């Protein structure tokens, strides 16, 4: 059976370079990685990951914790994480905690503490101080996506500022009667995303001297269907209709557009609608939105986790984070769903 030295000789590379290439480490050129993989394939060489783990102390396995796999945002983050880890030769263990407190407790207090993982990526989860300290105590790098986690590297967007920007876009078009579709109480957990975006809307309205009407603040479940039902109530029962709506997610913005059509309202002539997130449905519906590229956030989270694994340790065992808090770039995409209000 061929050994790693045989692979190195055939590829014309050093044993160290071949070892790094086959183990998925990032500090190898694309050309060298290709030569090593081709030589290993021709010789039928299969790396012993068990031996590699014993030698390096790593399992080449990174855990990803998300609240719900069926949601577009979380599945998009998963795609980005998976793509980077596959290229790096790392396995991915997915923990879909859902909304069951017991599931969350078992994942955060049992599964993640087992030494099968090299690092943990937590998406849209607020970890208690005790949970964070437990993870840090076993010296596993933690990367948070969606908000700040004390003691961990984090990747986030400024939800409050961006929500204010979306609302201000409607204000600048001349709208004064602006409604808001927010998330319901069940979704206002962990990083309090619906509440944070609602605050951004309220601040933008206050800055423009505009009234925030309670009857124009409606809640849904961040889905098209949920927002469709809520928006039908908004547009069909209020004495005076708004001329614009800021929805806290693109899916809820699409639901609002569909509800408006039911009442014979033309978007944007009769009702302007702006969303937030960059959902793939946005282009189909001509939706003005703020694209936060969750797949790109997932890819950056995975790269950050890999960088942390290569980083130096402090005397207490903690790792030196390359960037403790990273604000992910967003793009304001103006399409056909917003326009000046009707005369």
């Amino acid at each position: 059976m061929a050994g790693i030295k045989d692979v190195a000789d055939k590829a014309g590379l050093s044993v160290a370079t071949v070892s790094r290439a086959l183990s998925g480490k990032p500090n190898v050129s694309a050309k060298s990685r290709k030569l090593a993989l081709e030589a290993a394939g021709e010789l039928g060489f299969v790396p012993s990951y068990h031996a590699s783990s014993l030698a390096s102390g790593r399992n080449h396995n990174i855990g990803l914790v998300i609240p719900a796999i069926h949601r577009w945002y979380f599945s998009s983050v998963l795609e980005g994480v998976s793509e980077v880890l596959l290229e790096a030769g790392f396995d991915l263990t997915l923990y879909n905690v859902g909304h069951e407190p017991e599931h969350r407790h078992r994942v955060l207090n049992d599964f993640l503490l087992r030494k099968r993982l090299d690092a943990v990526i937590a998406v849209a989860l607020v970890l208690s101080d005790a949970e964070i300290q437990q993870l840090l105590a076993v010296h596993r790098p933690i990367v948070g996506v969606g908000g700040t986690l004390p003691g961990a590297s984090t990747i986030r967007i400024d939800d409050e500022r961006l929500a204010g920007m979306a609302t201000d876009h409607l204000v600048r078009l001349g709208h004064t009667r602006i409604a808001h579709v927010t998330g319901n109480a069940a979704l206002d957990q962990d990083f309090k995303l619906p509440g944070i975006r609602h605050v951004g809307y309220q601040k933008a309205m206050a800055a423009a001297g505009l009234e925030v009407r309670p009857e124009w603040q409606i809640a849904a479940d961040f889905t098209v269907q949920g927002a469709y039902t809520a928006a039908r109530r908004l547009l069909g029962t209020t004495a005076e209709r708004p001329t614009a709506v800021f929805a806290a997610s693109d899916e809820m913005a699409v639901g609002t557009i569909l509800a408006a059509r039911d009442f014979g309202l033309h978007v944007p002539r009769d009702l302007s609608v702006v969303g937030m997130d960059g959902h793939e449905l946005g282009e189909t519906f001509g939706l003005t939105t703020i694209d936060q590229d969750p797949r790109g956030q997932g890819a950056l989270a995975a790269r950050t986790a890999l960088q942390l694994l290569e980083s130096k340790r402090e005397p207490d065992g903690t790792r030196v984070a390359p960037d403790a808090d990273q604000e992910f770039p967003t793009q304001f995409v103006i399409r056909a769903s917003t326009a000046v209000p009707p005369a």
Side-chain angles (χ1 to χ4, degrees), residues 42-335:
E42 291 177 17
L43 293 174
F45 174 76
V46 178
S48 171
Y49 285 101
H50 177 67
S52 176
S53 296
L54 290 175
S56 65
R58 293 184 187 171
N59 298 285
H60 289 84
N61 189 6
I62 290 179
L64 176 66
V65 187
I66 59 175
I69 189 61
H70 66 282
R71 299 281 186 175
W72 165 81
Y73 172 80
F74 300 121
S75 62
S76 298
V77 171
L78 170 59
E79 288 181 358
V81 170
S82 177
E83 183 177 3
V84 170
L85 294 186
L86 279 173
E87 292 178 355
F90 272 68
D91 291 324
L92 169 65
T93 298
L94 176 64
Y95 298 97
N96 183 19
V97 297
H99 299 294
E100 294 292 332
E102 180 59 27
H103 291 171
R104 174 191 171 101
H105 178 80
R106 289 185 64 192
V107 168
L108 297 178
N109 295 278
D110 183 10
F111 296 136
L112 296 187
L113 299 183
R114 300 175 186 176
K115 296 186 177 182
R116 298 182 303 185
L117 302 173
D118 296 317
V120 176
I121 300 173
V123 184
L125 292 172
V126 166
L127 302 180
S128 68
D129 290 341
E131 289 168 338
I132 291 175
Q133 290 307 313
Q134 280 182 313
L135 291 175
L136 294 177
V138 294
H139 307 308
R140 295 295 184 266
I142 308 170
V143 180
V145 180
T148 301
L149 287 177
S153 292
T154 53
I155 295 158
R156 60 175 180 80
I157 63 172
D158 190 337
D159 286 285
E160 182 180 312
R161 178 180 63 83
L162 295 173
M165 184 186 303
T167 305
D168 190 58
H169 169 69
L170 298 172
V171 172
R172 290 175 180 273
L173 287 173
H175 292 277
T176 57
R177 307 201 312 263
I178 304 172
H180 178 49
V181 184
T182 185
N184 56 32
L187 292 171
D188 199 18
Q189 301 176 28
D190 291 314
F191 283 114
K192 312 296 182 184
L193 177 63
I196 293 172
R197 292 184 179 181
H198 192 197
V199 168
Y201 157 80
Q202 290 177 313
K203 287 186 176 181
M205 293 288 283
L210 300 177
E211 180 185 6
V212 175
R213 300 192 189 185
E215 68 271 23
W216 287 355
Q217 314 301 294
I218 61 173
D221 60 356
F222 269 57
T223 68
V224 173
Q225 184 61 43
Y228 168 77
T229 301
R232 278 185 59 84
R233 292 196 299 270
L234 168 70
L235 300 174
T237 61
T238 53
E240 185 180 23
R241 283 177 178 154
T243 63
V245 175
F246 162 50
S249 78
D250 286 348
E251 289 166 282
M252 294 199 295
V254 168
T256 302
I257 292 173
L258 294 175
R261 292 178 180 178
D262 284 358
F263 290 98
L265 301 176
H266 182 275
V267 175
R269 184 186 64 208
D270 305 309
L271 183 74
S272 285
V273 180
V274 60
M276 192 167 168
D277 284 338
H279 195 285
E280 56 194 14
L281 286 174
E283 187 171 0
T284 302
F285 283 84
L287 179 65
T288 295
T289 186
I290 296 176
D291 185 357
Q292 64 165 313
D293 184 17
R295 182 168 183 163
Q297 291 183 46
L300 178 58
R303 289 195 297 270
T304 301
L306 294 174
Q307 290 172 5
L308 285 168
L309 289 173
E310 297 296 326
S311 65
K312 296 180 180 179
R313 290 180 183 267
E314 296 284 11
D316 62 359
T318 58
R319 296 179 185 273
V320 180
D323 289 294
D325 185 27
Q326 304 177 69
E327 183 174 340
F328 195 81
T330 58
Q331 181 181 7
F332 201 141
V333 183
I334 299 177
R335 298 193 179 103

